[in-house]
Amino acid sequence: NRNTKLEKHIHKFKSECENLKKENSVLKSRVDDVTSQEDAAALQLGKQLQILLEEKAKLQRENQRLLSENNGLQELLSYAIPSGDPEGGEQDEGAMDLQQQEFCPEESWAGQH
């Protein structure tokens, strides 16, 4: 009778052990899946960040080029529009507005978007 009880307990523990092994295997598989998904997401985010940084650098270079071009054009404009008429008359009002106007690409861009 005592051996029968022990055999029943042993059988019960073996069964529980097998169930725990199966559950452990399922949980490990889930952890591997989640880890794999997190790695893929991190890799995708890294690629997107790299693309955005490259685009930002490109826009900064383009902005600098446009700023330089704008400064050159303003300098040309200052030579093209006389500061006053040689006969002492008044300067054309439109020309004065153009000379006095200061253009800042950042403010212009921010105002439009």
Side-chain angles (χ1 to χ4, degrees), residues 63-75:
N63 190 38
Q64 189 60 37
R65 184 191 65 78
L66 290 172
L67 183 60
S68 177
E69 183 179 327
N70 182 48
N71 289 337
L73 290 172
Q74 284 187 0
E75 187 175 337

Side-chain angles (χ1 to χ4, degrees), residues 38-104:
E38 287 175 353
D39 289 346
L43 184 61
Q44 180 67 24
L45 285 173
K47 287 179 182 179
Q48 289 177 341
L49 179 60
Q50 182 178 1
I51 289 170
L52 288 172
L53 289 173
E54 289 170 359
E55 183 68 17
K56 179 182 177 183
K58 178 183 168 188
L59 290 171
Q60 286 174 331
R61 286 190 304 271
E62 178 69 9
N63 190 38
Q64 189 60 37
R65 184 191 65 78
L66 290 172
L67 183 60
S68 177
E69 183 179 327
N70 182 48
N71 289 337
L73 290 172
Q74 284 187 0
E75 187 175 337
L76 283 174
L77 187 60
S78 70
Y79 289 116
I81 299 175
S83 60
D85 138 0
E87 311 204 18
E90 287 197 19
Q91 184 177 2
D92 179 14
E93 191 174 307
M96 285 177 49
D97 287 343
L98 284 174
Q99 281 183 319
Q100 292 174 354
Q101 179 183 27
E102 297 223 2
F103 177 75
C104 180

